[in-house]
C-alpha cells in the first residue's frame, strides 16, 4: 500500500471529523481560538499515535492469543485513559496556562470517540503494526487540520456581522456542516 496515498486518505478523504463524525465534542468545544485548537490537536495526535501502537500490541500479543477479543473495547479504553493521564500530568507541570485553557476538554480525550475509533478501526481493517501507527498518526493529523481550520473560521466570525440568533454555537454548526461538505469533495481522490 502506498504510504502517501494512505496519508491523503486518512487526512482528507476519511477525515474523522468531516467524514466519520468522530471527535465532534472537542472539535466544537475547543475550536474558538487557533492556539488552543492547535494545542488540543497536538495532544490528540500524540494520544492517537501512541494508543494505536499500544492497542495493536495488546490486541495482537495478549487478546488474540488468549482468545479474549471480546475485551478489546475495555482494553483500548484503559490504554487511552492511561495515555491521557500522562499527557495531562505533563501539560499541568510544563504548560500550566495551556492546561487551564484546555480545561475539561483535556481529560475528555479519554472519551473522545475518535481515539477509540482509530484503535478499533485498525483491528477491523486488519492493519499491521506499521499501518496501525500510521493510521493513528495520519487520522490525528486530519483531526488537527479540521480543528485548526474551524478555529480560524470561528475567529473570523467573531468580527463578522451575523444575525443575533445565529451568533455563537448555531453559526459554528452551520460552519462545520459547510466544511464537511467541502471535505466531501475529496471523496474519490484516493482509492485504496
Amino acid at each position: 500500500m502506498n504510504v502517501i496515498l494512505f496519508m491523503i486518505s486518512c487526512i482528507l478523504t476519511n477525515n474523522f471529523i468531516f467524514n466519520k463524525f468522530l471527535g465532534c465534542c472537542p472539535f466544537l468545544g475547543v475550536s474558538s481560538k487557533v492556539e488552543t485548537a492547535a494545542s488540543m490537536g497536538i495532544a490528540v495526535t500524540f494520544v492517537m499515535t501512541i494508543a494505536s501502537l499500544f492497542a495493536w500490541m495488546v490486541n495482537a500479543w495478549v487478546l488474540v492469543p488468549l482468545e479474549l477479543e471480546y475485551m478489546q473495547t475495555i482494553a483500548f479504553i484503559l490504554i487511552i485513559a492511561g495515555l491521557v493521564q500522562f499527557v495531562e500530568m505533563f501539560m499541568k507541570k510544563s504548560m500550566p496556562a495551556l492546561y487551564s485553557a484546555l480545561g475539561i476538554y483535556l481529560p475528555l480525550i479519554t472519551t473522545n470517540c475518535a481515539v477509540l475509533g482509530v484503535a478499533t478501526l485498525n483491528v477491523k481493517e486488519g492493519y499491521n503494526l506499521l499501518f496501525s501507527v500510521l493510521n493513528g498518526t495520519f487520522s490525528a493529523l486530519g483531526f488537527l487540520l479540521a480543528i485548526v481550520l474551524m478555529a480560524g473560521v470561528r475567529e473570523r466570525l467573531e468580527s463578522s456581522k451575523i444575525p443575533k440568533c445565529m451568533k455563537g454555537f448555531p453559526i459554528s454548526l452551520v460552519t462545520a456542516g459547510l466544511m464537511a461538505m467541502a471535505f466531501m469533495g475529496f471523496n474519490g481522490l484516493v482509492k485504496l
Side-chain angles (χ1 to χ4, degrees):
M1 189 180 298
N2 188 334
V3 175
I4 301 295
L5 290 177
F6 188 69
M7 178 183 69
I8 292 169
S9 171
C10 292
I11 294 174
L12 299 176
T13 309
N14 296 317
N15 187 287
F16 266 57
I17 295 291
F18 298 129
N19 188 307
K20 296 184 185 341
F21 306 110
L22 296 173
C24 291
C25 179
F27 171 72
L28 291 170
V30 185
S31 62
S32 56
K33 301 258 185 267
V34 171
E35 297 83 25
T36 309
S39 300
M40 178 59 137
I42 291 168
V44 168
T45 301
F46 174 77
V47 170
M48 280 177 82
T49 301
I50 302 302
S52 295
L53 172 69
F54 285 121
W56 187 92
M57 291 190 308
V58 166
N59 187 58
W61 296 341
V62 178
L63 299 178
V64 171
L66 297 175
E67 297 180 2
L68 296 172
E69 292 94 344
Y70 61 91
M71 298 290 288
Q72 285 173 344
T73 304
I74 294 170
F76 294 167
I77 289 173
L78 290 173
I79 291 166
I80 293 164
L83 290 170
V84 170
Q85 287 300 310
F86 172 74
V87 169
E88 193 172 3
M89 289 186 306
F90 175 78
M91 289 182 95
K92 188 174 186 179
K93 184 83 172 161
S94 62
M95 299 175 258
L98 179 59
Y99 174 79
S100 61
L102 290 175
I104 189 66
Y105 293 101
L106 186 59
L108 282 179
I109 295 174
T110 303
T111 59
N112 185 341
C113 54
V115 181
L116 181 59
V118 77
T120 56
L121 184 69
N122 290 338
V123 171
K124 179 183 166 230
E125 296 294 327
Y127 292 143
N128 61 23
L129 178 61
L130 174 64
F131 274 93
S132 291
V133 173
L134 289 177
N135 187 39
T137 304
F138 297 151
S139 296
L141 290 175
F143 177 87
L144 174 66
L145 174 68
I147 198 169
V148 169
L149 287 174
M150 180 66 165
V153 171
R154 285 179 76 176
E155 281 185 355
R156 294 286 306 259
L157 287 172
E158 289 292 320
S159 61
S160 299
K161 286 184 134 185
I162 300 169
K164 188 176 179 181
C165 65
M166 291 296 290
K167 283 206 176 272
F169 199 65
I171 196 66
S172 297
L173 288 175
V174 170
T175 303
L178 291 172
M179 290 174 76
M181 288 173 51
F183 268 70
M184 283 175 55
F186 293 116
N187 285 344
L189 181 67
V190 177
K191 296 283 187 198
L192 295 176

